[in-house]
Amino acid sequence: MSLNEALDGRALIPVYVTKKAPCTANCPAGTDVRLFIKLASEKKFADAYQTIYQSNPFPSTCGRVCPHFCQQNCNRAELDQCLNIGAIERFLGDYGLKTSIKSHKIRFNEKIAVIGSGPAGLTAALRLREEGYRTTVYEALPRAGGMMRVGIPQFRLPQDILDREINMIVQQGVEIILNKKVTIKEIEKDYSVIIVATGSHMAITMGIPNENLTLEGIRFLHDFKMNNNRQNINKGDKVAVIGGGNTAIDVARTILRLGGEPTIYYRRTRNEMPAVPHEVEEARAEGVKLKYLTAPVKIEKDENGSLVAWIIKMKIGKADQSGRRRPIPVKGSEKPIKVDKIITAIGQKYDHFVSSGLGIQPRQGKIDFPCQVPVFCGGDMAGGGTVTEAVGSGNEVAREVIAFLGGKPFIGKNKDEDIVSPEDLNYVYYLRSSSHINPFKQIADLHNDLSEVVEGLSAEEVVDEAQRCLHCGDCYKCGNCFIRCPEATIYLDQDKCLQIDYEHCKGCGICFQECPCSAIKLKSE
């Protein structure tokens, strides 16, 4: 029904509502982004931190390495620049590292094992411990953290930050057993439920001749971080990096710090590149070269023992199942390039060791697996690929386990929600302002410099940035409806909340039209 029709006989009445903001709706971890932004704008940093922690026990980490799906969907981008939500989360995460933590009481007899101490496994273990279950996490490596530990370079995520966030989880009662690579069958007799969250640490191969002469990107990052293995990369060495994802970018930027000269070869264009855009731009600013529409077809060694990669040109065809346009080789365009090292980073898969080679069809939640106890799955191996997606997966699998042990049906996330879009907002009432951008540290000589390259914002800058929020779908008492109502039927109650006097409201809809943040809707009387 149109607004004009509502004028005759008051067919529609205005109602205050709270709709979901796109930042919150697009956070894989399920964080109430709008709320922690609001609290930060009021300088309530402790409350803002706790709001994040309810959904994400790694805010300091995610503030640094997350692609910030929330920020990518910020409605403010239609007005000027999106909120720098990642910087606000990072500040709050760092602020919360000094929070006092207590262990949660054990309330149930069931014991739960989690295989894998990445963001999904640790998040699931923490949520179950909060609920009152005894949880034990098994980790094959000497340090916990999964891909956060071995796959993200120090210059993006300082190790002490990760250590402190993991230690907070341990302080809450989660047990982590290190240097223990286990199978499901090995521990099934000791637990009531097993959660598998081993991540995807195995490299996918290219399937070209002499691929054994290359290094695996994820293994390269792992060996450098855990063992300081530089793979004999010396200053001035030319290194070809094959791939276009985050691992390829991290490998190339690490090579710069080892003194090498990396060039990324990617078979599609920049538009199809899956790596986080700002990470790509940082890599370019540091000196990483990128060659698009190129791919290796074979690898050789010349008479001097140097590596020769035969690179073929590609052209873009129609979209494939991933939604990206398929690369097609250009016949006869192969050319040799001589390099010192070749590192591949074209994708990863999970290790079948956990299933004793029986194989798992990984998916989110309970899976079919021959075992004495129920087996659940989460994390990278079940989908996603970022820390925040893994955290969300950990939250979800924990909820499903809790429902299962409680004998209750599990209800997943409701995706059919009323999410505020740019068309719902009245941008006329917002002033334009520039976003506070994280300072990027320009380092003259990157050789052997692993210091963090992106700096955080100050408390004053965080408050100022948070105050740029449009409050999408959440009334912030701007008073527009009160001022614009021609019948003066809108008033403040004793709790200073806006109310509507429906005995005198004529349903003109002006309050609905003039609400900046879409916190009023018209509905049939």
Side-chain angles (χ1 to χ4, degrees), residues 445-480:
D445 185 6
L446 290 170
H447 191 205
N448 292 327
D449 191 332
L450 296 174
S451 61
E452 190 171 12
V453 295
V454 177
E455 300 175 359
L457 300 182
S458 66
E460 182 180 355
E461 290 171 325
V462 163
V463 171
D464 196 33
E465 184 67 17
Q467 289 175 348
R468 297 178 65 242
C469 178
L470 302 181
H471 305 273
C472 301
D474 183 34
C475 175
Y476 62 102
K477 301 176 184 177
C478 68
N480 262 20

Side-chain angles (χ1 to χ4, degrees), residues 111-174:
K111 295 190 298 181
I112 300 167
V114 179
I115 304 177
S117 72
L122 289 176
T123 299
L126 174 61
R127 299 307 173 213
L128 289 161
R129 191 68 172 81
E130 289 172 339
E131 189 69 14
Y133 291 99
R134 188 183 304 277
T135 56
T136 301
V137 180
Y138 289 92
E139 173 54 55
L141 298 175
R143 299 183 73 182
M147 198 62 77
M148 297 183 295
R149 176 72 64 190
V150 302
I152 303 176
Q154 169 84 10
F155 53 83
R156 287 182 58 210
L157 175 60
Q159 294 301 283
D160 66 304
I161 294 293
L162 180 58
D163 287 339
R164 292 164 73 182
E165 290 196 313
I166 292 175
N167 188 50
M168 291 174 71
I169 293 174
V170 172
Q171 288 176 4
Q172 292 175 77
V174 173

Side-chain angles (χ1 to χ4, degrees), residues 86-305:
I88 299 172
E89 182 181 38
R90 169 178 169 161
F91 172 85
L92 294 172
D94 290 355
Y95 179 91
L97 289 175
K98 50 183 178 287
T99 301
S100 178
I101 297 292
K102 293 182 179 180
S103 180
H104 301 283
K105 292 183 178 179
I106 299 294
R107 300 191 298 116
F108 301 102
N109 293 326
E110 291 91 344
K111 295 190 298 181
I112 300 167
V114 179
I115 304 177
S117 72
L122 289 176
T123 299
L126 174 61
R127 299 307 173 213
L128 289 161
R129 191 68 172 81
E130 289 172 339
E131 189 69 14
Y133 291 99
R134 188 183 304 277
T135 56
T136 301
V137 180
Y138 289 92
E139 173 54 55
L141 298 175
R143 299 183 73 182
M147 198 62 77
M148 297 183 295
R149 176 72 64 190
V150 302
I152 303 176
Q154 169 84 10
F155 53 83
R156 287 182 58 210
L157 175 60
Q159 294 301 283
D160 66 304
I161 294 293
L162 180 58
D163 287 339
R164 292 164 73 182
E165 290 196 313
I166 292 175
N167 188 50
M168 291 174 71
I169 293 174
V170 172
Q171 288 176 4
Q172 292 175 77
V174 173
E175 180 187 15
I176 302 177
I177 299 177
L178 302 173
N179 294 306
K180 186 72 172 176
K181 188 172 184 177
V182 299
T183 67
I184 297 171
K185 290 293 185 181
E186 186 179 344
I187 61 173
E188 64 179 342
K189 293 181 181 180
D190 301 321
Y191 295 95
S192 307
V193 169
I194 296 174
I195 298 174
V196 181
T198 57
S200 298
H201 293 252
M202 307 293 288
I204 293 175
T205 58
M206 296 183 292
I208 63 174
N210 297 320
E211 189 172 352
N212 61 298
L213 298 175
T214 69
L215 301 172
E216 295 175 352
I218 194 64
R219 175 56 57 182
F220 167 78
L221 293 174
H222 172 282
D223 287 348
F224 179 65
K225 286 196 70 177
M226 300 298 288
N227 307 314
N228 196 30
N229 184 348
R230 304 168 69 95
Q231 297 294 345
N232 199 30
I233 293 176
N234 301 305
K235 197 170 181 65
D237 281 356
K238 297 186 182 302
V239 183
V241 180
I242 313 301
N246 294 323
T247 300
I249 297 297
D250 285 340
V251 166
R253 297 179 72 183
T254 300
I255 290 166
L256 283 176
R257 287 155 176 81
L258 298 180
E261 299 175 6
T263 300
I264 291 176
Y265 293 87
Y266 178 53
R267 60 180 183 161
R268 290 185 170 96
T269 70
R270 175 70 182 86
N271 293 333
E272 288 84 25
M273 202 170 188
V276 178
H278 71 83
E279 298 287 347
V280 177
E281 292 310 311
E282 288 174 11
R284 288 168 58 92
E286 289 179 343
V288 174
K289 297 177 182 177
L290 292 102
K291 302 285 187 182
Y292 301 112
L293 293 172
T294 55
V297 291
K298 65 178 178 179
I299 298 167
E300 298 176 341
K301 270 191 176 183
D302 65 14
E303 62 277 4
N304 298 319

Side-chain angles (χ1 to χ4, degrees), residues 362-383:
R363 65 174 185 270
Q364 178 67 35
K366 193 171 184 298
I367 62 172
D368 296 322
F369 187 79
C371 185
Q372 296 181 17
V373 296
V375 178
F376 294 77
C377 189
D380 285 357
M381 64 185 299

Side-chain angles (χ1 to χ4, degrees), residues 28 35 61 85 116 181 222 231 256 398 518 525:
L35 178 57
T61 293
I85 300 173
K181 188 172 184 177
H222 172 282
Q231 297 294 345
L256 283 176
S518 190
E525 188 172 14

